[in-house]
Amino acid sequence: MVHWIGVDDTDSLQGMCTTFLATEIVRDLTEDFDLIGYPRLVRLNPNIPWKTRGNGAVCMRFGEGLGPPFVVGSIAGRTIEAHPRGRASSEPAAVADRVALHVERWSRFDDATTNPAFAVLSRQPTPALYWRAVRGVVSKGSAQAAARGLGVVRSYKNGRGVIGALSAIAWRPRDRTYEVLTYRAPEAWTTARRIAPESVIRMDRNFPSTFNNYDYVNDRLVIAPHSPCPVLFGIRGDDPAVLLPAMRVIEGERPERWLIFETNQGTDDHVMRRRSVKPGATVRLSGRVTSPPRAIAGGHVVFRLGDLDVTAYEPSKQFRAVVRSLAPGDRIEAIGAIRRRPKTLNLEKLFVESTAPRFRKVANPWCPECQKRAKSLGRQAGFRCPCCRKHFPLSAATFDRIERSLRPGWYEPPVGSRRHLSMPLKRIGFASDTSPPGGSVSPPAFLHARGPGGLDSEAGDAVPTLYPLDDL
Ligand code: ATP
């Protein structure tokens, strides 16, 4: 058994990052303890309205390390190693006092919406806590109840951070990815980041197990945030072993420190296969398109799937072209967050199962008696011969089949417009980030095979965000 440390809600839009605080805790505690496994960056329900950016919390394990150590970072010129296993080597209270010093030093207490908390537990809370927190809404009380008797829990201000801190500890990866996060020296935090875009493209091409690096469609790098936070850039991938060589390819400003996190990013853990469409939940729904897509103010595109509106927002950019080419009768699966008012599914990913045939009328029916074309009686009302007044049904007209440009397959927004938790199609071998915009990909057998397998938890009653996509 080891000490499980969880921390959340320490940063604000004006600065700081909970992962930087994690590096400070790692820097200090590795003086006296061993780090066990990778530090973890755990994303929770992206539809929580009180999140600052990407609803991320961190978890680290410390104790007496067992097994051969491996390198996970470098902080203040010191190489940081972790052990695959470990056992506790002191009382949680002693560790908690040291963690408190860092949380109190670095948290943005000045921000009204920052409500820090941390926990030092000897065991993980139930996995159900994680599943509820990544898919629904968890109350402070129920999070605390899940950690009762497991160790020390401390919170500040309204204490909301305990939900994220404890849920991050509760994560047992069913699927996982990794991210190497690099940080700037404090004096650089408010200045513009210097990263050479060509080096990001080179890195992206040379390390195919990394993802969400460069948006080739909109020609911009997406590994760096835009906020005045300590992060220089982050590279995400499936294989932690390539992250360090990938990091070294990036040219420009030199990071002051770096740390590899194990994460639930890009896993689709937030997606439920549910018929019930509760606001705040992210669901995967299948059905037929029942209305043609229409553009609404702001550049968004809306269509109906069964009796539910589905919206592709302006920030999803070229993805909207795919959505615009849908037609009534198409069979699709839509993945997205349910927004309460107006009720709509905010589209994250789309699978086109089959497209319906579309026809264009090229001639009115021919009246064989009078050798004349019948006249239309109005929309959907059929036809009548102008001479003998004989009626003809709609189907008697001559139609040409319209070639559909939309191909069956999976579609997703460009790299820069994806949610942290959304599984990129590249991860499941369907498409590469270099594929042309709106390119279609193979059938979804593998994604179907990766369904949540009974791990669904009850989603609560979240208030959805207005803006559908996270800041990277
Ligand atoms: P980051 O900036 O690190 O990416 P964030 O800053 O967007 O993440 P926080 O500032 O940590 O997010 O704010 C999220 C708050 O919401 C935290 O207090 C957290 O405990 C709480 N929270 C997270 N998930 C849930 C949930 N499912 N239900 C209720 N509260 C949650």
Side-chain angles (χ1 to χ4, degrees):
M1 284 209 274
V2 299
H3 296 304
W4 292 79
I5 300 177
V7 187
D8 194 19
D9 210 344
T10 65
D11 53 14
S12 83
L13 285 176
Q14 276 63 53
M16 256 302 288
C17 173
T18 305
T19 66
F20 176 80
L21 176 55
T23 68
E24 283 292 284
I25 294 172
V26 168
R27 182 177 62 78
D28 178 21
L29 293 195
T30 47
E31 300 280 355
D32 299 304
F33 302 92
D34 293 323
L35 183 60
I36 315 298
Y38 287 99
R40 292 176 164 181
L41 166 57
V42 183
R43 301 283 177 183
L44 300 171
N45 189 345
N47 309 316
I48 288 293
W50 45 86
K51 68 178 185 178
T52 311
R53 281 181 298 254
N55 202 3
V58 296
C59 166
M60 292 146 281
R61 293 154 287 173
F62 292 95
E64 185 189 330
L66 303 171
F70 53 98
V71 174
V72 297
S74 167
I75 302 176
R78 189 158 58 87
T79 298
I80 304 293
E81 291 186 323
H83 293 260
R85 298 180 308 285
R87 56 175 169 241
S89 49
S90 70
E91 282 306 304
V95 178
D97 287 341
R98 277 171 78 166
V99 174
L101 290 177
H102 298 289
V103 172
E104 288 164 20
R105 161 145 194 232
W106 291 104
S107 295
R108 293 299 299 250
F109 289 101
D110 53 322
D111 190 305
T113 63
T114 299
N115 297 290
F118 73 87
V120 182
L121 307 185
S122 53
R123 272 191 296 121
Q124 288 177 282
T126 164
L129 177 63
Y130 165 72
W131 288 108
R132 278 193 287 131
V134 77
R135 293 176 169 185
V137 177
V138 174
S139 70
K140 241 173 14 183
S142 73
Q144 280 159 334
R148 197 159 293 140
L150 299 182
V152 179
V153 180
R154 277 193 214 165
S155 58
Y156 303 83
K157 294 172 70 183
N158 82 11
R160 187 188 276 148
V162 293
I163 301 164
L166 294 170
S167 304
I169 301 179
W171 179 46
R172 277 96 168 155
R174 177 190 69 181
D175 181 15
R176 58 168 72 79
T177 63
Y178 298 85
E179 177 162 9
V180 59
L181 277 164
T182 68
Y183 300 86
R184 321 175 76 194
E187 53 278 13
W189 289 359
T190 52
T191 63
R193 292 171 178 83
R194 283 181 302 103
I195 299 172
E198 327 75 67
S199 66
V200 179
I201 294 174
R202 207 171 333 115
M203 181 277 291
D204 183 63
R205 298 231 155 107
N206 287 336
F207 296 92
S209 65
T210 64
F211 55 86
N212 289 0
N213 298 317
Y214 196 86
D215 183 343
Y216 293 91
V217 180
N218 297 295
D219 204 15
R220 64 187 180 108
L221 59 88
V222 291
I223 62 170
H226 300 287
S227 58
C229 77
V231 173
L232 177 58
F233 62 81
I235 302 173
R236 297 158 184 215
D238 278 310
D239 179 3
V242 308
L243 292 180
L244 181 53
M247 180 186 92
R248 293 202 168 120
V249 173
I250 306 301
E251 288 167 10
E253 194 178 324
R254 289 296 86 209
E256 185 261 336
R257 61 182 71 185
W258 58 271
L259 195 57
I260 298 177
F261 289 84
E262 181 179 41
T263 90
N264 61 347
Q265 295 172 154
T267 61
D268 269 353
D269 268 3
H270 63 313
V271 179
M272 291 183 280
R273 279 180 176 277
R274 275 284 158 87
R275 275 188 194 283
S276 82
V277 283
K278 276 192 185 173
T282 303
V283 294
R284 177 172 178 162
L285 297 176
S286 58
R288 278 195 197 280
V289 174
T290 50
S291 82
R294 63 181 207 282
I296 60 166
H300 317 309
V301 182
V302 184
F303 67 93
R304 278 182 92 71
L305 172 62
D307 55 5
L308 180 70
D309 273 349
V310 175
T311 309
Y313 285 85
E314 192 283 329
S316 66
K317 303 288 175 203
Q318 292 79 0
F319 181 55
R320 292 170 303 162
V322 175
V323 173
R324 268 189 232 109
S325 60
L326 287 168
D330 291 349
R331 273 210 77 85
I332 62 162
E333 276 191 42
I335 295 181
I338 302 296
R339 172 175 167 175
R340 184 190 300 273
R341 218 170 287 118
K343 187 150 187 185
T344 172
L345 182 147
N346 294 344
L347 201 57
E348 278 181 31
K349 227 166 10 214
L350 173 70
F351 175 62
V352 177
E353 218 169 290
S354 62
T355 53
R358 284 188 70 198
F359 298 95
R360 183 181 47 222
K361 192 189 81 175
V362 288
N364 287 358
W366 181 250
C367 177
E369 306 292 319
C370 312
Q371 294 289 299
K372 280 220 172 312
R373 292 252 170 233
K375 293 255 186 275
S376 170
L377 290 169
R379 210 174 137 73
Q380 305 293 317
F383 303 88
R384 191 169 59 196
C385 173
C387 301
C388 67
R389 306 186 75 74
K390 181 176 172 191
H391 274 85
F392 296 89
L394 279 175
S395 56
T398 309
F399 293 93
D400 261 1
R401 194 168 170 150
I402 302 172
E403 189 57 41
R404 298 288 306 273
S405 59
L406 183 64
R407 296 277 165 264
W410 279 102
Y411 297 88
E412 63 184 348
V415 175
S417 314
R418 296 177 195 158
R419 301 197 105 155
H420 295 295
L421 278 162
S422 260
M423 186 184 287
L425 298 179
K426 182 182 180 183
R427 270 204 79 212
I428 44 177
F430 284 157
S432 113
D433 287 338
T434 50
S435 54
S440 78
V441 290
S442 339
F446 185 60
L447 197 61
H448 282 306
R450 295 171 72 104
L455 283 168
D456 279 5
S457 63
E458 216 34 70
D461 208 15
V463 184
T465 45
L466 291 175
Y467 188 70
L469 302 162
D470 290 333
D471 180 5
L472 200 87

